[in-house]
Amino acid sequence: MVEIRGYRPEDLDDLYRIALATGDAGGDASALYRDSRLIGHVYAGPYATLLPETVLVAEDSGGVAGYILGAVDTRAFEIRQEAEWWPALRRRYPDPVSVPPEYRTPDQQRCHRIHHPLGMPDAIVGDHPSHLHINLLPRQQ
């Protein structure tokens, strides 16, 4: 039995854990990253921190097993990320700009994304202003 419920601040580590456990095309990315929190910094943390009201978690008898998170207004979210989320991470993680893209490790790829976030293209946001992510651990996939 799975309960879908609203996000609580104590769920944040679970969101990061799930982002890593599903970060390799739905599979476990743990072996790819030296810093296990990097993928969560990009794909889970900003939503839980900036838009917690848009985050739902799937909880089963084993604990939090998945999440749905997103932004109703993608552009407004990108602006908030730039103002409130990325600056602290940019101070913590160096930009690997001197490493050619084809030689970057997964950690360096995420650090580059922190310094150079990809905004959603206007052609998509114009017709689809919202977006979401759904990540489920294998036991709930």
Side-chain angles (χ1 to χ4, degrees):
M1 184 84 170
V2 177
E3 176 189 3
I4 307 296
R5 63 166 175 79
Y7 169 78
R8 298 187 294 241
E10 60 268 22
D11 297 325
L12 185 61
D13 285 339
D14 288 321
L15 268 59
Y16 273 75
R17 179 179 52 82
I18 293 165
L20 182 64
T22 60
D24 186 14
D28 189 0
S30 299
L32 301 176
Y33 290 91
R34 293 185 70 200
D35 183 330
S36 64
R37 295 192 58 88
L38 266 170
I39 197 163
H41 288 328
V42 174
Y43 297 109
Y47 298 90
T49 302
L50 303 176
L51 300 174
E53 68 279 4
T54 69
V55 180
L56 298 172
V57 299
E59 187 171 21
D60 62 17
S61 61
V64 176
Y67 58 75
I68 302 169
L69 45 78
V72 174
D73 183 335
T74 297
R75 283 290 178 251
F77 178 63
E78 290 171 348
I79 291 167
R80 280 196 73 190
Q81 280 184 296
E82 192 57 43
E84 302 173 43
W85 183 252
W86 299 128
L89 291 171
R90 288 174 181 152
R91 288 188 295 274
R92 181 173 172 190
Y93 295 100
D95 185 356
V97 69
S98 64
V99 179
E102 62 272 16
Y103 295 110
R104 290 181 187 147
T105 66
D107 285 63
Q108 290 170 326
Q109 292 169 9
R110 293 306 140 245
C111 289
H112 187 267
R113 179 68 53 86
I114 287 167
H115 287 270
H116 309 277
L118 295 176
M120 189 64 64
D122 289 334
I124 294 174
V125 173
D127 290 335
H128 308 285
S130 303
H131 72 277
L132 60 83
H133 301 270
I134 301 173
N135 290 56
L136 297 169
L137 293 177
R139 70 178 192 255
Q140 289 297 329
Q141 290 177 1

